[in-house]
Amino acid sequence: MPDWNPDLYLEFERERTQPSIDLTMKIMLDQPRRIIDLGCGPGNSTKVLKARWPQAEIAGLDSSKTMIAEARAKDPAIEWICADASSDLSRLGSFDLIFSNAALQWMPNHERLLQNLFNMLNTGGVLAVQVPATARMPVRIELGKLAGSDKWKGRFTGLNPGVSIHGPEFYYDIVCGLSAEVEVWETRYFHVMNTHAAIVQWYSSTGMRPYLDCLQEDGLRAEFQTDLEHALKDVYPLQADGKILFPFTRIFFTIKKRSAYTRESAS
C-alpha cells in the first residue's frame, strides 16, 4: 500500500488535532517523565503533548516513513521512531503515558494490543486512546455502497479496508479487566465544511485510502471521488448559509495502572 500523504492529512489539521487536545486535558498526570505518542502521524498530536508536559521525555512513533519525516522536519528535538505500533514495543522500555490519537483503528487484535500497551505502563501511568466511531457515518456507508456498485465493484475484488471498527462497549470489556480506573466516553464533533468535495477530500487521506490505492489511474481516482461527492449530497444537506455540517463521533478511553488487578479482586 502506498505511504500516507502528510500534506493531504494536514489540510484539516485543526479539526484532526482537537480530539488530541480534548484527550490530553482529561489525563490526570502532573509530571510524567516518559511519554510515547503511538501513530503520531505528522506530529500534530505529539506537539499537543509537548505543550502540556514540556519537561517530559517524549517520543512519537508511526509506521509511515513520510509521516515521520514530516514530524522530524517540524521538531527535530523530539525522538521520532518509524515502527509498527502493533508490534512488540517492549524494547522501548516503560512509560508514564502511552497516548494514541486516531491510530488504533488501523491495527489488528485490539485485545492483545491493549494488554501489551498496558504492560508497558509504569505504576501510576495512563494509557489514553481516541478512535473514530465511523460504523454509522453516512460517508462510510455511502463509500461502501459506491464500492459495491456495478460500476466499481470489479475494481475492489478482495479489498481489505484494513480498519478495525468497534464501539465503546467493546473497548470497555477489554480494559475493565486491566484496571479499576477506567473512563470511556464519546464526543460528537460538527465540522463545518464548505463543499461536499471537502468531505471527500477529508476522507481521501484516511478511510478512503485503501479504495483509492486500488485505482492505479489518476483519472479513475478522480472519477471515484466525484461519484462519492454526488452521493454525499443526499445525506449531508446544505445549511442556511450554504455550508455543510459534517458530524464526526469519536470514542475516548483512559486506563490508569495502579497495581495488580483482576475482575475477581474487584468483585
Side-chain angles (χ1 to χ4, degrees), residues 24 118 164:
T24 299
F118 186 78
S164 299

Side-chain angles (χ1 to χ4, degrees), residues 35-65:
I35 298 172
I36 189 163
D37 182 9
L38 299 181
C40 64
N44 51 314
S45 54
T46 322
K47 182 179 178 181
V48 172
L49 296 170
K50 184 178 180 180
R52 172 82 188 272
W53 295 289
Q55 302 306 315
E57 175 189 330
I58 300 178
L61 182 147
D62 201 281
S63 61
S64 166
K65 293 180 180 179

Side-chain angles (χ1 to χ4, degrees), residues 104-205:
L104 260 63
Q105 73 274 13
W106 295 104
M107 305 176 201
N109 302 318
H110 286 184
E111 297 93 334
R112 184 180 65 188
L113 174 63
L114 291 171
Q115 175 72 71
N116 291 343
L117 297 178
F118 186 78
N119 291 342
M120 292 172 59
L121 287 174
N122 293 320
T123 299
V126 171
L127 172 61
V129 174
Q130 182 269 120
V131 289
T134 60
R136 295 184 296 274
M137 284 184 63
V139 65
R140 183 175 183 274
I141 293 170
E142 294 303 319
L143 173 61
K145 289 179 181 178
L146 180 62
S149 67
D150 291 340
K151 178 179 178 179
W152 292 105
K153 62 183 178 182
R155 300 281 181 177
F156 305 117
T157 303
L159 170 67
N160 178 6
V163 182
S164 299
I165 301 171
H166 303 288
E169 298 83 2
F170 171 85
Y171 291 108
Y172 179 79
D173 282 346
I174 297 174
V175 301
C176 72
L178 302 176
S179 172
E181 296 190 50
V182 174
E183 285 194 66
V184 182
W185 71 97
E186 283 187 342
T187 299
R188 193 180 191 203
Y189 297 86
F190 285 84
H191 303 303
V192 180
M193 312 296 277
N194 291 323
T195 64
H196 291 93
I199 299 177
V200 174
Q201 189 78 345
W202 170 300
Y203 213 48
S204 294
S205 65

Side-chain angles (χ1 to χ4, degrees), residues 219-235:
L220 287 177
R221 292 192 188 100
E223 185 177 351
F224 187 69
Q225 289 172 301
T226 299
D227 285 356
L228 181 60
E229 179 186 342
H230 290 324
L232 295 185
K233 290 179 181 179
D234 291 331
V235 294

Side-chain angles (χ1 to χ4, degrees), residues 2 4 61 76 90 97 112 158 171 207 255 266:
W4 288 74
L61 182 147
S90 58
L97 172 60
R112 184 180 65 188
Y171 291 108
I255 322 166

Side-chain angles (χ1 to χ4, degrees), residues 71-80:
R72 184 176 289 118
K74 289 182 176 179
D75 194 339
I78 290 177
E79 180 184 7
W80 302 105

